[in-house]
Amino acid sequence: MNATNPSVCIGHVHLKVADLERAIRFYSDVLGFEVMQQFGNQAAFLAADGYHHHIGLNTWDSLNGTPPPHGHTGLYHTAFLYPSRESLAVALLRVQNAGIPFDGASDHGVSEAVYLRDPDGNGVELYYDRPKDEWPRDAEGNLAMNTAPLDVDALISIARKAS
């Protein structure tokens, strides 16, 4: 069996965007990532917690472009893992306050996730993982993820109470 080293993780995502400033506003002002470096109107690198970059944005092949049509291959979504339910709630409140609609929201047993689109139509998942010992398991102990509705308003109310 060829297994990946358990220390391997996804380091960053690099997206083609039509309008760099618009994309920066979304990922920085709405989602809260910090612009670490920008190369004019062609590329920018954003991160959390001072990392060199978690998100790369560029217009090299996509300036003023359009999203790929529905039914074509490509990125389904990028998922951003928040360290707690409360930090996810704060992020969702910022998204809601920015007037960005949610595409969906699910409780997967292992996580709570909300789905939306960035300004270029790329799918974005914002989620937090429950502690591993709370993950649902079947009778044999195998992971038993599911998809149940998630009450986004109840989750956002956590952020409103904290502020």
Side-chain angles (χ1 to χ4, degrees):
M1 185 168 141
N2 191 6
T4 300
N5 181 302
S7 298
V8 171
C9 66
I10 296 173
H12 70 271
V13 62
H14 200 127
L15 303 171
K16 297 187 293 184
V17 299
D19 180 322
L20 186 63
E21 290 303 320
R22 180 182 70 183
I24 290 171
R25 283 191 304 273
F26 174 79
Y27 286 99
S28 179
D29 297 350
V30 177
L31 295 188
F33 288 90
E34 178 185 1
V35 176
M36 301 305 291
Q37 190 167 9
Q38 185 170 345
F39 296 96
N41 63 354
Q42 294 187 353
F45 298 91
L46 296 88
D49 198 30
Y51 189 64
H52 55 79
H53 75 289
H54 290 106
I55 306 165
L57 306 168
N58 78 67
T59 58
W60 300 323
D61 294 322
S62 55
L63 183 63
N64 299 320
T66 58
H70 182 71
H72 285 70
T73 60
L75 178 70
Y76 186 71
H77 69 240
T78 302
F80 297 100
L81 174 62
Y82 287 81
S84 67
R85 192 166 195 252
E86 294 75 18
S87 62
L88 174 62
V90 169
L92 296 179
L93 180 59
R94 283 196 315 264
V95 170
Q96 187 178 63
N97 288 342
I100 298 168
F102 300 120
D103 286 349
S106 298
D107 182 337
H108 295 296
V110 297
S111 63
E112 290 184 335
V114 176
Y115 303 91
L116 54 132
R117 300 258 161 212
D118 78 2
D120 290 287
N122 294 308
V124 175
E125 175 184 349
L126 307 178
Y127 75 106
Y128 96 97
D129 276 342
R130 289 188 172 91
K132 209 172 190 178
D133 62 346
E134 294 178 18
W135 291 359
R137 303 272 176 190
D138 65 17
E140 288 80 41
N142 299 310
L143 189 60
M145 291 175 32
N146 57 57
T147 300
L150 177 65
D151 186 346
V152 177
D153 291 332
L155 188 53
I156 290 174
S157 72
I158 295 169
R160 285 199 174 104
K161 288 177 188 172
S163 57

